Amino acid sequence: MVRRLAVAAALAATATTVVLVRRRTRSPSGHGLGGTPRAGWLAVTVLGAPDDVLPGGRVPAPIARLGGGVELEARLAPGDKGTELRARFRPDGAHTAGATGTRDQETARRGRLRAALREAKQLIEVGEVLRVDPTPHGRRSATPTGALVDAATARSNEWGVL
């Protein structure tokens, strides 16, 4: 009896996992796998009017460092919540060295673009790019957990926030 319950529970757990994985990777209309827009646009919402975000069509410095292969646009954010600053690498690969590459290279390029958008948002809203280091209380000793925090902090602008 106990064995039958264990087998039934294992089958239920497997079926639930399969359903959740299929739902997560299913491509909704207008999106690729993982919820990334098919057109490749990345966006941040910036507090301010579109004219303040891109004054005179001037590209923010963090995005300009990526080169001429980046398309950039500013438009009103949904719900009048500021301006949506959108960027993507040009689909034709114009002005982009190494536009075609492996999946890892493409992921790294998108990470750099995501970080540049976040830095541009900070420059526009605050006037500087905010940094975690150096810590306000001085240097901390090197510990295993400190190394993990440092590694996560170094990549946070590309992949998420802490």
Side-chain angles (χ1 to χ4, degrees):
M1 180 71 167
V2 174
R3 187 172 186 199
R4 284 185 182 173
L5 285 174
V7 170
L11 288 174
T14 302
T16 302
T17 302
V18 168
V19 168
L20 291 175
V21 167
R22 284 189 180 171
R23 269 192 199 167
R24 188 173 188 195
T25 58
R26 188 175 294 148
S27 177
S29 63
H31 289 78
L33 292 177
T36 59
R38 285 188 183 160
W41 288 100
L42 296 172
V44 293
T45 302
V46 181
L47 183 62
D51 294 335
D52 298 334
V53 172
L54 295 176
R58 197 174 60 224
V59 177
I63 297 171
R65 284 192 296 263
L66 295 175
V70 176
E71 236 178 302
L72 189 66
E73 69 178 34
R75 62 185 188 184
L76 290 176
D80 295 329
K81 301 290 184 186
T83 299
E84 187 177 71
L85 181 62
R86 297 171 17 121
R88 72 174 176 176
F89 289 104
R90 295 186 192 283
D92 59 2
H95 306 293
T96 307
T100 59
T102 66
R103 176 179 259 172
D104 290 341
Q105 290 170 335
E106 183 62 25
T107 301
R109 279 173 21 109
R110 287 183 60 83
R112 286 192 300 274
L113 181 58
R114 186 177 290 113
L117 274 171
R118 289 181 178 174
E119 289 176 9
K121 172 185 171 80
Q122 291 175 19
L123 281 172
I124 293 166
E125 290 181 346
V126 182
E128 65 179 304
V129 177
L130 306 173
R131 299 283 181 216
V132 174
D133 291 327
T135 55
H137 55 278
R139 294 192 56 91
R140 67 174 173 253
S141 59
T143 64
T145 53
L148 289 174
V149 170
D150 291 343
T153 301
R155 299 296 299 254
S156 65
N157 249 3
E158 294 177 13
W159 307 116
V161 293
L162 295 175

